[in-house]
Amino acid sequence: MKHRRIPKRKLAITGGSVLAVMAAGLTLQSANASDVTQRYPVKPLSVTAAGKLASSLSDELGPDLIGTYYDAAAGSLVVNVADEAAADSVRDAGGRARVVQNTLAELAGARRTLTDKAAIPGTSWAVDPVTNKVVVTADRTVTGASWNRLSEVVEGLGHKAELRKSAGEFKPFAAGGDAIHNDGGRCSLGFNVVKDGAPHFLTAGHCGAVGSRWSASPGGPDLGRMVDSRFPGDDFALVAYTAGGLQPSEVNLYDGGTQRITGAAEATVGMPVRRSGSTTRVHDGQVTGLDATVNYGNGDIVNGLVETSVCAEPGDSGGPLFSGDRAVGLTSGGSGDCASGGQTFFQPVTEALGAYGATIG
């Protein structure tokens, strides 16, 4: 008998930079988790297949599944579970099971506590499946009384949370792939999509308002008009192309080539990803967290983001995050830069596609 699937919670979390960058092939176990003995070899999986297996197991196990991540070196899906009965289901499906200390309810409770007691601009939190904790990060603006309050709240959560400090500052990358311009500045085009049979493209919601006109160069002819924009809460927008004709589903790699995009995929912790943007071009990294919420300050809180180790800078906003030929996300914001490194958050592209009833073009 299958459990009813528990909808993903979106909890307010304040923006900071989580510095835990999960190395490819990480195999170290945290002190509060243990691998369950496998009676059969773990099935080697591609990152796409691992994502599909994670979704299937989530449907089957419900709250007994406490998180997953992809071990790129071993080519396996690591699945955190509540008990050995659930571990049997994971093993039989070809995943690697870990019985962990903190349950899904405990981690959700920790996030609620942080939302209620520590909603401080310049902080972020997300569940880290590798450590089985809620990782809370404060950026460099969190000092004095704010730092003391945050430290006290995290300390009160005991083994369920961990506090980290970032040298950077979390902010939306206001100002992709190819550059797009309006009177307010420059962003990056995300992915070309089709809605109701007509060509559109996705970008970040914080880039502009409904009705704003966009061009491929400053002061150039209209490329399209923004027909919907969602920020804060979410961070995605839809632009209708001015001219007819479908646009190619590909990402500019800034080396004379492009990456064809054939569909969308849900992010998985450990997934290798690339980002293209009009400021810093193409950079690589990994997915390090899911369902993160970031407080950019001034009441701009965004929920349900994909957390990565990829760098980005202003002007890269809205640009595409992809893994192979699959669209994964749209650049939202983060800290650091591509000289010293940093952490970047992305709006899941599947949520935007679902909201608009659109498909990759």
Side-chain angles (χ1 to χ4, degrees):
M1 177 178 178
K2 293 186 178 181
H3 293 279
R4 177 175 62 85
R5 187 170 185 176
I6 307 300
K8 180 175 76 174
R9 295 185 60 85
K10 289 188 174 183
L11 300 174
I13 154 185
T14 46
S17 78
V18 177
L19 301 180
V21 177
M22 198 176 76
L26 179 65
T27 57
L28 293 177
Q29 302 301 316
S30 63
N32 65 345
S34 62
D35 271 323
V36 174
T37 301
Q38 300 279 150
R39 285 180 281 183
Y40 307 104
V42 176
K43 182 192 299 183
L45 300 168
S46 68
V47 67
T48 301
K52 291 178 179 178
L53 178 57
S55 179
S56 174
L57 286 170
S58 179
D59 287 336
E60 178 179 351
L61 298 176
D64 290 335
L65 187 150
I66 307 172
T68 64
Y69 64 94
Y70 183 63
D71 183 334
S76 62
L77 179 71
V78 183
V79 183
N80 295 339
V81 293
D83 53 42
E84 302 221 8
D88 282 342
S89 296
V90 172
R91 181 205 63 216
D92 292 341
R96 193 169 94 219
R98 297 169 71 214
V99 175
V100 294
Q101 178 181 12
N102 295 319
T103 67
L104 201 62
E106 288 174 324
L107 295 173
R111 293 186 60 158
R112 285 193 297 271
T113 297
L114 290 162
T115 300
D116 293 341
K117 298 182 178 181
I120 300 167
T123 60
S124 73
W125 52 84
V127 174
D128 176 15
V130 181
T131 61
N132 183 230
K133 295 180 179 182
V134 178
V135 174
V136 183
T137 304
D139 74 13
R140 64 181 177 81
T141 68
V142 181
T143 59
S146 294
W147 171 260
N148 293 338
R149 176 157 60 98
L150 182 64
S151 300
E152 182 179 353
V153 172
V154 173
E155 185 177 355
L157 292 171
H159 59 77
K160 295 188 288 293
E162 177 181 341
L163 179 59
R164 297 174 184 174
K165 184 73 173 174
S166 167
E169 179 180 349
F170 278 93
K171 54 187 178 293
F173 291 128
D178 293 327
I180 52 174
H181 300 259
N182 71 0
D183 291 340
R186 170 172 56 88
C187 278
S188 296
L189 189 150
F191 297 100
N192 286 320
V193 299
V194 176
K195 174 178 169 56
D196 299 330
H200 294 70
F201 67 81
L202 299 173
T203 189
H206 74 261
C207 285
V210 172
S212 57
R213 312 295 300 196
W214 293 85
S215 62
S217 59
D222 277 358
L223 184 67
R225 180 178 66 87
M226 191 167 282
V227 295
D228 188 76
S229 179
R230 306 190 187 186
F231 179 84
D234 295 308
D235 196 2
F236 58 85
L238 183 69
V239 178
Y241 276 104
T242 301
L246 299 183
Q247 303 295 323
S249 298
E250 57 189 26
V251 173
N252 188 350
L253 298 180
Y254 288 94
D255 61 0
T258 59
Q259 170 63 60
R260 186 182 178 197
I261 302 298
T262 63
E266 297 283 355
T268 303
V269 172
M271 173 188 278
V273 286
R274 307 182 81 186
R275 178 200 54 73
S276 178
S278 59
T279 299
T280 59
R281 301 192 173 187
V282 179
H283 287 271
D284 301 338
Q286 278 187 315
V287 173
T288 56
L290 304 176
D291 197 20
T293 306
V294 181
N295 187 332
Y296 291 124
N298 300 314
D300 293 337
I301 298 173
V302 184
N303 306 301
L305 298 177
V306 176
E307 177 186 278
T308 75
S309 63
V310 187
C311 70
E313 296 179 13
D316 290 327
S317 280
L321 181 75
F322 57 101
S323 183
D325 63 357
R326 297 287 162 167
V328 177
L330 304 165
T331 307
S332 175
S335 71
D337 53 45
C338 290
S340 60
Q343 179 197 12
T344 306
F345 296 96
F346 295 82
Q347 166 68 52
V349 75
T350 51
E351 183 179 358
L353 292 172
Y356 296 135
T359 58
I360 295 296

